[in-house]
Amino acid sequence: MKLRWFVCLSAALATIPWTEGAQPDRVVCYYDSRSRHREGVGKAEAPGDIEPSLSTCTHLVYGFAVIDGANYKLVPLDEYQELDSGKGYYRAVTSLKKRYPGLNILLSVGGLADPEKEKYLTLLESEDNRKNFVSSARILLRQYAFDGLDLAWEFPEIYVKKDRGTLGSLWHGFKKTFGFAHSHKDEKADEHRDGFTALVKELKNSLRPDGLLLTAAVLPNVDTSIYYNLKDIVPNLDFISVLAFNYTTPEKKPEEADYPAALYQAGGRDINHTGDGTIRWWLEKGVPAHKVIFGIGPFGVTWKLTSESKISGVPPIGADGPGEAGPQTKTPGLLSYPEVCSLLPNPNFKSASAPHLLRRVTDPSHKLGSYAFRLPDSSSDTGLWVAYEDPETAGYKGAYVKNKGLGGIAIWDISLDDFRGVCSGEKFPILKAAKNHL
Ligand SMILES: *[C@@H]1O[C@H](CO)[C@@H](O)[C@H](O)[C@H]1NC(C)=O
Ligand SMILES: *[C@@H]1O[C@H](CO)[C@@H](O)[C@H](O)[C@H]1NC(C)=O
């Protein structure tokens, strides 16, 4: 009995620095190393291009390492670029600690950088596989002086029902042809949840003696209630970045464009497709608010509009799949914030070609977010609808985090923010706006 009380008391004492009124203090900056392969002004090289963010970030998370399918070891995405035997980007990034001594630099695994998702489940199924992963992770982290590991585990996305409409079946054919990643039901979901719980525990035990951090990022459209045994994993994680965006995407719903990263529910939309709905769920499950990090995506999600789309542009609006890829990010359905801002009327861009500009619609309710659009016409037969994060909407999210007493914000990822300051002259305006409201 006495021992029990003692244990409870120590547990309570251990959490005291986080009693009510604690300030959210974490600014978790994800950097996707694949952005260094972009051409032109979108090319974001670490350390150089990301350095102006580092006086704002408390954690820099280098993404993404992957799993070797042959032996389940943690390996770099690009050995030649990242290891000392090649160009040494890992070392160049962790060396930033000399200039930013308070900065924690973590390595993240998964994060959708690894096209082979199956490994992320089979690894969980066997203790030997997990052992290989855990020991290789510890070695890699220590060898390159990372401060910890972030698990952006590639769990399957929520099952999407096939659409029966004409557009839907058209898309079904398209997806089959072009191999759009589509989710399936996971027959061994319980086993995978238990394996992940064990993995988190085994990693924590391995990293603890060196004082290394262990964190997780929950990717969009993963069923948290299936894969995350919160009661058992949360005590072993320093914090969890909940990516509160991409609730709707052109991959999930090609025929209907809608706000992908609304903060609050409006107009009968699904509460679970909002940042607030998601965060409430985490808090209701008993996860301490200070461990929950609100994930913000500094980008726009785009759909193509058709001649049948509504003239008003008001979402939800009929659409025809992902919008055309941007000149820098070259990804259909996605535009970085600078790519979006170059399409908006802006006194800084006098030479912008007027016919391609989008009409901007802000959100005075502060619930849903900003969007902009251009209807198809005779000069450009591809209309475009884009919902995007901007400094203003990111600021509301920062204020929400403060209000709820959450642990901070995560920006996923900073290469999509305006890291050159072309939109308004300020570098990383979305990161900074969110941080300024914490
Ligand atoms: C929201 O998600 C929770 C947890 O998965 C679920 O229980 C609830 O039914 C969902 N609500 C809606 C409106 O889908
Ligand atoms: C978010 O959605 C865009 C557009 O569909 C996609 O390109 C991007 O990879 C998604 N990001 C994440 C983290 O899911």
Side-chain angles (χ1 to χ4, degrees), residues 181-221:
H182 239 223
S183 45
H184 46 85
K185 275 218 166 89
D186 179 2
E187 306 286 341
K188 294 195 255 178
D190 291 350
E191 187 184 344
H192 295 145
R193 176 186 50 235
D194 294 346
F196 189 69
T197 310
L199 176 69
V200 168
K201 187 170 168 201
E202 290 153 7
L203 277 167
K204 186 67 189 176
N205 288 341
S206 160
L207 302 181
R208 188 185 286 120
D210 294 314
L212 297 177
L213 299 173
L214 182 62
T215 64
V218 179
L219 295 173
N221 303 309

Side-chain angles (χ1 to χ4, degrees), residues 256-259 267 269 305 308-319 359 361-362 368 371-375 384-387:
E256 188 183 279
D258 202 4
Y259 294 104
R269 290 180 174 83
L305 294 183
E308 277 126 71
S309 304
K310 274 186 301 193
I311 206 90
S312 66
V314 176
I317 177 173
R359 191 176 332 153
V361 183
T362 53
L368 294 164
Y371 70 91
F373 70 103
R374 175 184 72 223
L375 293 168
L384 182 70
W385 192 91
V386 52

Side-chain angles (χ1 to χ4, degrees), residues 77-93:
L77 182 63
D78 187 335
E79 216 172 277
Y80 168 67
Q81 296 274 346
E82 287 160 333
L83 299 190
D84 286 345
S85 52
K87 287 191 166 180
Y89 276 112
Y90 277 175
R91 185 81 58 200
V93 167

Side-chain angles (χ1 to χ4, degrees), residues 112 220 245-246 249-251 299 301 331 333-334 412:
L112 303 178
F245 54 76
N246 278 16
T249 64
E251 284 81 21
F299 56 81
V301 177
T331 309
L334 176 97
W412 181 292

Side-chain angles (χ1 to χ4, degrees), residues 127-284:
E127 196 178 333
D128 286 341
N129 296 350
R130 295 198 305 263
K131 268 200 184 126
N132 285 348
F133 180 81
V134 171
S135 57
S136 63
R138 181 162 178 269
I139 292 168
L140 191 63
L141 295 175
R142 282 171 46 104
Q143 188 180 355
Y144 286 93
F146 283 102
D147 296 311
L149 182 69
D150 177 68
L151 303 170
W153 212 253
E154 298 193 11
F155 284 116
E157 292 184 6
I158 287 167
Y159 182 68
V160 185
K161 283 196 208 103
K162 274 181 210 141
D163 252 295
R164 302 236 172 261
T166 341
L167 273 174
S169 47
L170 211 119
W171 264 94
H172 186 59
F174 180 78
K175 276 176 285 196
K176 256 171 130 174
T177 322
F178 290 90
F180 258 99
H182 239 223
S183 45
H184 46 85
K185 275 218 166 89
D186 179 2
E187 306 286 341
K188 294 195 255 178
D190 291 350
E191 187 184 344
H192 295 145
R193 176 186 50 235
D194 294 346
F196 189 69
T197 310
L199 176 69
V200 168
K201 187 170 168 201
E202 290 153 7
L203 277 167
K204 186 67 189 176
N205 288 341
S206 160
L207 302 181
R208 188 185 286 120
D210 294 314
L212 297 177
L213 299 173
L214 182 62
T215 64
V218 179
L219 295 173
N221 303 309
V222 166
D223 192 335
T224 317
S225 65
I226 292 184
Y227 293 109
Y228 292 83
N229 172 351
L230 297 177
K231 185 168 74 58
D232 291 338
I233 64 169
V234 170
N236 289 321
L237 293 171
D238 290 280
F239 56 78
I240 304 160
S241 300
V242 179
L243 303 189
F245 54 76
N246 278 16
Y247 294 109
T248 59
T249 64
E251 284 81 21
K252 270 177 89 183
K253 248 193 179 177
E255 76 288 1
E256 188 183 279
D258 202 4
Y259 294 104
L263 184 52
Y264 291 106
Q265 185 187 27
R269 290 180 174 83
D270 186 342
I271 180 108
N272 289 342
H273 287 180
T274 66
D276 180 55
T278 305
I279 296 299
R280 276 169 191 270
W281 184 86
W282 281 79
L283 301 181
E284 275 160 21

Side-chain angles (χ1 to χ4, degrees), residues 372-385:
F373 70 103
R374 175 184 72 223
L375 293 168
D377 63 28
S378 45
S379 69
S380 68
D381 54 347
T382 55
L384 182 70
W385 192 91

